[in-house]
Amino acid sequence: MYQVIARKYRPQTFEEVVGQAHVKQTLRNAIDQGRIAHGYIFSGPRGTGKTTMARILAMALNCEGGPTSTPDPQSVACKEIAAGASLDVIEIDAASNRRIDDIRELRESVKFRPVRDRYKVFIIDEAHQITNDAFNALLKTLEEPPEWTVFVLCTTEPQAIPATIVSRCQSFAFRAVDLPDVLGHLRKICASEGIEAEDDALAALALAGDGSLRDSLSTLDQAIAAFGRNLEAAGVRDLLGAIPSEMTERILAAIRDANPAAMLSVIDDLFRQGRHPQHFCGELARQFRNLMVMQVAGTDSKLVSAGQGERAAAGTWLKEFSSEDLTRYVHLLLALYQDLQLATQQRFRLEIGLLKLVYAGRLRPIEQVLSELPTGGRTAAPRPAETAPAPKQADRAPSRRPQRQTQPTAPPPQPDALKPPQAPTAPRTQPTPAAPAAKAAPRPKTPAAEAPPGKPAPARPESGSSAPAPSPAAPEPAPERPAPDELKAKLLEAIGNSGEQYVLDAIQASRLERDGRAVTIHVHSDWLAMLELQLQVLEAGLAGLVGGKPDVRLICETDKAPARKASPGRPRRAVARKPAVKGDVRERAQSDPAFLAFSKRLNGRVTNVVDLREISK
């Protein structure tokens, strides 16, 4: 009768077990030192050698001349254990013997000594199937068994074993077998069986096992039955339902060329061939994961789960995609794999998911998009280190305003007392008293003395002087740019080192007036809340400019209502503002140049507008 490869090549010694070096070394040392425990728990994925290791442990304990860490498979006791005919090695399937009555029978058999061998070994497979009552019945026996009894519990779900059982046993966690170890074992078996197999075919068989050596050996048996003694990669991959290399090339080309029609053609061929969509998506995610790992760790990395041929084919596509693109593709494929689990129309979901891969290649980093946008909106106030000094009078462009004759006038205002330009008024009928002519000095030209832009200089009546008035036929003065706001510039420079950039922006957008130590700031409603919160910063900056503690008043430009006098203590809201209309906020946001450029670049639209002033209340 034919014996399958998984049973025919089942390990008979610790050295023959593939992988699990940590378990083999510990058990051999324990046997050599005579530190044999009465209970063991072997847990791990399926097909990783748990039951095989339990049998080898029983052979090592009952071998002739033992216990020994190198049992002889040809001894009588070892042959009986391997064949399952030993009276002293009892294998129990807990899936069908899980009740409390079955455990009671086991407890009765524990009391009797071995028939022939040194130890009576109980191997309980699928131990997590035992009920809680049955486990409780086993507690006392498992904690204090007879000296000739050894329990080995094998399970794939160690979390289902009660903690009271775990605390009475030594636990060994079996690991999934590494891909190189599986490949080496498959090559050894193919050489013994006289099978000629390509490396990529064996790699496909090893990947199909997913870390389970028994699954890979079962698949090898199936491939030999299908193709005889010559295993080719294409045939084996088709047998396993893996993605053909040609289809992978077409998918990568469609993504690179941003060709959605080519991607839909691949999906149509996939369903014509009768392939399972979710299995196809999982295989595609694995291949893109290999590309991502190769892009990051190199083509020779051991982290890549692929054969040499698949590595070489994938290496030609690395220059076409960046690591960020591949990471995005893997994320989309994993989400598609989850959607296909519950999807009723899997073709539709697969088409949408793979088209996302095509369109995802057109995305651009947000940093690159932002760097291409023009600088729009309000211009932030320059930093103190970047603030250019105000131009001197001599450096300004020469004014085309006709020069008036020097005349006696009242003492000029202080240079830092800047008031907003007033509209020109008609000449007064009564002359303004002036100082004696002998003490008159030329009136310095200050920014406050200049006329507003686009307005003619107001006529001044002459007093105590015979200088003629300007001729009515004089040419109309040309408009002139306003002089810089000296108080604002000095205030920006004074508080520039505080790092409060928002305060600088608010001052830059405001208008300042001074009357002694009283400083009035005309501020727009958008910036009023910021200045109220940072009132102490304003007072500290103005203290050195007005020669003492300033009296700061905030006036909202929108409401035109005077603010309450600023308190020297905790800042208070100066003006009760009216609630902003959301439509006005939306209009201002949509008219901002930066927003217009950004929405045009991303083809976006406004869905919601939030007024931060309302949130700060």
Side-chain angles (χ1 to χ4, degrees):
M1 183 177 179
Y2 176 74
Q3 191 176 24
V4 297
I5 290 178
R7 293 186 59 191
K8 182 178 180 180
Y9 291 93
R10 193 167 195 167
Q12 302 298 315
T13 62
F14 288 115
E15 289 76 12
E16 294 179 0
V17 177
V18 180
Q20 318 305 336
H22 62 295
V23 180
K24 295 186 294 184
Q25 185 66 28
T26 304
L27 293 178
R28 283 186 297 190
N29 292 343
I31 294 173
D32 292 338
Q33 298 173 15
R35 307 177 67 88
I36 301 171
H38 61 270
Y40 297 91
I41 296 179
F42 292 167
S43 62
R46 69 184 188 279
T48 54
K50 298 184 295 297
T51 306
T52 297
M53 192 75 75
R55 288 185 178 182
I56 296 175
L57 176 61
M59 294 179 187
L61 296 177
N62 292 332
C63 184
E64 299 175 1
T68 176
S69 60
T70 57
D72 182 11
Q74 301 303 321
S75 64
V76 177
C78 291
K79 286 184 178 180
E80 290 180 355
I81 294 173
S86 177
L87 297 177
D88 296 326
V89 178
I90 304 168
E91 296 190 25
I92 302 173
D93 179 19
S96 56
N97 299 276
R98 58 194 302 265
R99 300 175 302 172
I100 190 172
D101 293 338
D102 300 321
I103 299 301
R104 287 172 179 169
E105 293 180 4
L106 185 148
R107 289 169 51 188
E108 293 298 325
S109 63
V110 168
K111 300 178 182 179
F112 300 98
R113 285 184 174 273
V115 176
R116 181 197 61 191
D117 298 332
R118 190 174 298 103
Y119 287 92
K120 199 168 189 177
V121 182
F122 293 88
I123 301 176
I124 305 177
D125 208 357
E126 302 297 329
H128 60 275
Q129 299 279 3
I130 300 177
T131 62
N132 290 332
D133 294 338
F135 268 127
N136 293 333
L138 186 61
L139 281 178
K140 188 62 177 178
T141 303
L142 189 61
E143 183 176 5
E144 297 178 357
E147 59 182 7
W148 57 78
T149 304
V150 174
F151 288 93
V152 182
L153 281 66
C154 302
T155 177
T156 56
E157 300 180 12
Q159 69 278 1
I161 304 295
T164 52
I165 297 293
V166 176
S167 65
R168 289 166 169 81
C169 303
Q170 292 185 9
S171 299
F172 292 88
F174 284 64
R175 304 165 184 168
V177 186
D178 293 336
L179 182 63
D181 295 337
V182 178
L183 284 174
H185 194 62
L186 292 179
R187 290 191 186 98
K188 185 190 302 183
I189 293 177
C190 288
S192 300
E193 294 288 328
I195 305 297
E196 296 182 1
E198 297 180 357
D199 288 341
D200 285 351
L202 295 179
L205 295 173
L207 290 173
D210 194 21
S212 173
L213 185 60
R214 184 177 61 225
D215 290 1
S216 298
L217 294 178
S218 300
T219 309
L220 175 62
D221 236 341
Q222 181 182 358
I224 294 174
F227 304 107
R229 297 185 175 274
N230 188 8
L231 303 182
E232 297 180 354
V236 171
R237 292 174 64 86
D238 185 69
L239 175 67
L240 299 176
I243 305 176
S245 57
E246 297 81 6
M247 186 171 289
T248 304
E249 298 280 337
R250 292 171 58 188
I251 292 175
L252 291 172
I255 296 176
R256 178 197 60 189
D257 301 335
N259 189 351
M263 184 66 76
L264 292 178
S265 176
V266 172
I267 299 174
D268 184 66
D269 294 343
L270 172 72
F271 279 89
R272 289 179 182 275
Q273 296 174 9
R275 298 184 180 274
H276 193 274
Q278 190 176 13
H279 179 71
F280 166 81
C281 183
E283 281 292 310
L284 189 62
R286 182 188 65 83
Q287 295 191 8
F288 272 89
R289 179 260 177 192
N290 288 338
L291 283 172
M292 179 184 67
V293 174
M294 293 170 66
Q295 186 73 269
V296 175
T299 56
D300 298 333
S301 174
K302 65 179 181 179
L303 302 176
V304 179
S305 57
Q308 294 299 327
E310 188 176 348
R311 284 174 183 260
T316 59
W317 289 93
L318 293 180
K319 60 183 179 181
E320 303 292 341
F321 306 101
S322 64
S323 59
E324 292 82 2
D325 292 335
L326 295 174
T327 304
R328 189 182 304 117
Y329 298 152
V330 172
H331 179 76
L332 292 174
L333 288 173
L334 293 178
L336 176 60
Y337 184 85
Q338 294 179 352
D339 291 342
L340 290 174
Q341 289 181 345
L342 303 176
T344 55
Q345 299 189 11
Q346 293 190 339
R347 175 163 184 163
F348 173 72
R349 289 295 184 95
L350 187 63
E351 289 174 344
I352 295 299
L354 295 186
L355 285 178
K356 287 182 180 180
L357 299 181
V358 177
Y359 299 139
R362 302 178 182 177
L363 299 179
R364 300 171 61 190
I366 189 65
E367 295 82 0
Q368 181 181 357
V369 176
L370 292 176
S371 64
E372 297 176 357
L373 294 178
T375 303
R378 296 185 179 91
T379 304
R383 299 283 184 179
E386 303 172 355
T387 305
K392 298 180 180 179
Q393 185 72 19
D395 297 335
R396 298 192 186 122
S399 175
R400 290 178 291 177
R401 181 192 300 273
Q403 298 295 330
R404 294 176 296 185
Q405 295 182 1
T406 303
Q407 53 181 328
T409 182
Q414 298 296 327
D416 56 350
L418 181 60
K419 296 184 179 180
Q422 303 294 332
T425 58
R428 299 176 182 177
T429 56
Q430 297 294 331
T432 303
K439 298 182 180 180
R443 182 171 181 263
K445 195 172 184 180
T446 60
E450 295 184 4
K455 299 290 184 177
R460 291 182 176 271
E462 302 296 331
S463 175
S465 174
S466 60
S471 174
E476 184 73 18
E480 185 181 12
R481 296 178 61 87
D485 193 338
E486 294 184 4
L487 181 59
K488 181 191 298 184
K490 291 181 179 180
L491 180 59
L492 292 173
E493 184 178 358
I495 67 174
N497 296 327
S498 62
E500 300 289 345
Q501 182 61 38
Y502 291 107
V503 178
L504 298 176
D505 295 345
I507 296 175
Q508 186 71 22
S510 305
R511 181 167 55 88
L512 279 66
E513 293 180 355
R514 176 187 171 187
D515 185 7
R517 293 185 181 180
V519 178
T520 304
I521 301 178
H522 298 267
V523 58
H524 193 270
S525 58
D526 292 343
W527 298 101
L528 180 60
M530 177 55 62
L531 293 185
E532 291 175 354
L533 294 176
Q534 301 295 336
L535 189 59
Q536 294 180 351
V537 177
L538 287 176
E539 292 177 346
L542 289 170
L545 301 179
V546 300
K549 187 175 181 180
D551 182 12
V552 181
R553 298 176 181 271
L554 301 177
I555 293 183
C556 182
E557 287 286 352
T558 302
D559 301 328
K560 294 298 183 182
R564 293 177 294 178
K565 183 176 180 180
S567 173
R570 184 178 178 182
R572 300 173 61 186
R573 184 169 285 106
V575 180
R577 301 185 305 274
K578 298 179 181 179
V581 182
K582 192 169 184 179
D584 298 340
V585 178
R586 178 182 292 269
E587 292 177 0
R588 292 204 309 271
Q590 292 179 341
S591 62
D592 188 272
F595 168 78
L596 294 175
F598 192 77
S599 59
K600 181 179 180 181
R601 174 70 64 182
L602 300 181
N603 194 21
R605 60 186 180 88
V606 178
T607 59
N608 188 25
V609 177
V610 177
D611 191 351
L612 298 181
R613 298 172 301 179
E614 298 297 327
I615 298 178
S616 62
K617 287 183 179 181

